[in-house]
């Protein structure tokens, strides 16, 4: 994943992966539960365009099986696990846990990789400030997340797909000008 050539390519890969992830959740009822840098790959088409791939469904589970768990399993690759997963919250795991893992993947700051061309280190954006009036309560930090999961995933996917479209246009424009 770190060998993509530009931020635009990274956006395309992430867009493809999360669109596939969402389709698998909605059409098949399967939750991946292990998004990590090792489980997101990309390939190049004959025309040089990148395509993102989500692999390794070893920890995947049918969402219907999660409804019956008293305490959900702590599953995934440690640095990319959702807070609810790490805290072993009794709240049911949803697609939001995998989307949260994506945030940690994009924020991955592997110091062992000294590659100056690492796209993850280019143009870092400052983190947005959080609105204290929105979000979990102190008594139940994971309250309401299952209820709003589908709506939030819809919004996240729309944003990712919008940026993917723009990134694809920039990549094509760059190929034309070469």
């Amino acid at each position: 994943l770190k060998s993509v050539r530009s931020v635009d390519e990274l956006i395309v890969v992430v867009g493809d992966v999360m669109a596939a992830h969402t389709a698998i959740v909605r059409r098949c009822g399967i939750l991946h539960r292990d998004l990590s840098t090792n489980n997101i790959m990309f390939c190049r088409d004959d025309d040089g365009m990148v395509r993102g791939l989500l692999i390794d469904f070893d920890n995947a589970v049918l969402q219907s099986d999660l409804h019956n768990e008293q305490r959900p399993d702590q599953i995934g690759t440690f640095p990319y696990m959702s807070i609810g997963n790490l805290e072993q919250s009794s709240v049911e795991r949803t697609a939001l846990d995998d989307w949260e893992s994506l945030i940690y993947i994009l924020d991955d700051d592997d110091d062992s990789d000294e590659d100056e061309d690492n796209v993850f280190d280019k143009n870092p954006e400052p983190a947005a400030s959080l609105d204290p009036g929105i979000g979990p309560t102190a008594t139940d930090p994971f309250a309401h997340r299952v209820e709003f999961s589908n709506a939030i995933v819809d919004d996240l996917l729309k944003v990712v797909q919008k940026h993917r479209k723009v990134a694809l246009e920039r990549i094509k424009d760059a190929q034309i000008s070469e």
Side-chain angles (χ1 to χ4, degrees), residues 170-178:
R170 286 195 298 241
I171 291 169
K172 288 177 184 174
D173 290 345
Q175 287 176 339
I176 291 170
S177 65
E178 287 180 355

Side-chain angles (χ1 to χ4, degrees), residues 6-16 160 163-164 167 170:
S6 68
V7 172
D8 287 332
E9 285 190 353
L10 178 63
I11 291 168
V12 170
V13 169
V14 167
D16 289 349
V160 168
H163 288 285
R164 181 188 181 281
R170 286 195 298 241

Side-chain angles (χ1 to χ4, degrees), residues 31-118:
L31 192 60
H32 190 279
R33 300 193 313 168
D34 190 18
L35 262 69
S36 72
T37 55
N38 295 326
N39 295 337
I40 296 176
M41 298 180 68
F42 73 93
C43 62
R44 289 191 187 281
D45 291 342
D46 291 338
D47 62 358
M49 296 301 291
V50 294
R51 301 286 177 235
L53 306 167
L54 180 59
I55 64 167
D56 190 4
F57 283 78
D58 292 350
N59 291 314
V61 66
L62 287 171
Q63 285 184 302
S64 58
D65 291 347
L66 294 175
H67 297 303
N68 302 325
E69 288 186 2
Q70 293 291 345
R71 182 174 209 120
D73 293 333
Q74 190 176 25
I75 297 288
T77 303
F78 176 71
Y80 311 110
M81 294 167 74
S82 69
I83 293 171
N85 193 355
L86 287 170
E87 296 281 329
Q88 293 183 313
S89 165
S90 60
V91 174
E92 181 181 317
R93 301 288 180 263
T94 69
L96 283 180
D97 289 284
D98 286 345
W99 278 90
E100 184 178 337
S101 294
L102 179 65
I103 293 169
Y104 305 134
I105 291 166
L106 294 175
D107 190 48
D108 188 6
D109 197 13
D110 184 1
D111 292 331
S112 65
D113 183 6
E114 309 242 347
D115 184 4
E116 292 179 17
D117 292 329
N118 183 351

Side-chain angles (χ1 to χ4, degrees), residues 122-166:
K122 295 179 181 173
N123 302 322
E125 294 290 327
S129 61
L130 297 175
D131 181 348
I134 299 174
T137 64
T139 56
D140 187 0
F142 303 101
H144 308 297
R145 82 187 289 276
V146 174
E147 179 182 344
F148 297 111
S149 177
N150 286 336
I152 293 169
V153 167
D154 285 344
D155 290 344
L156 289 170
L157 190 58
K158 285 177 190 171
V159 170
V160 168
Q161 294 299 69
K162 175 183 167 188
H163 288 285
R164 181 188 181 281
K165 182 178 178 181
V166 171

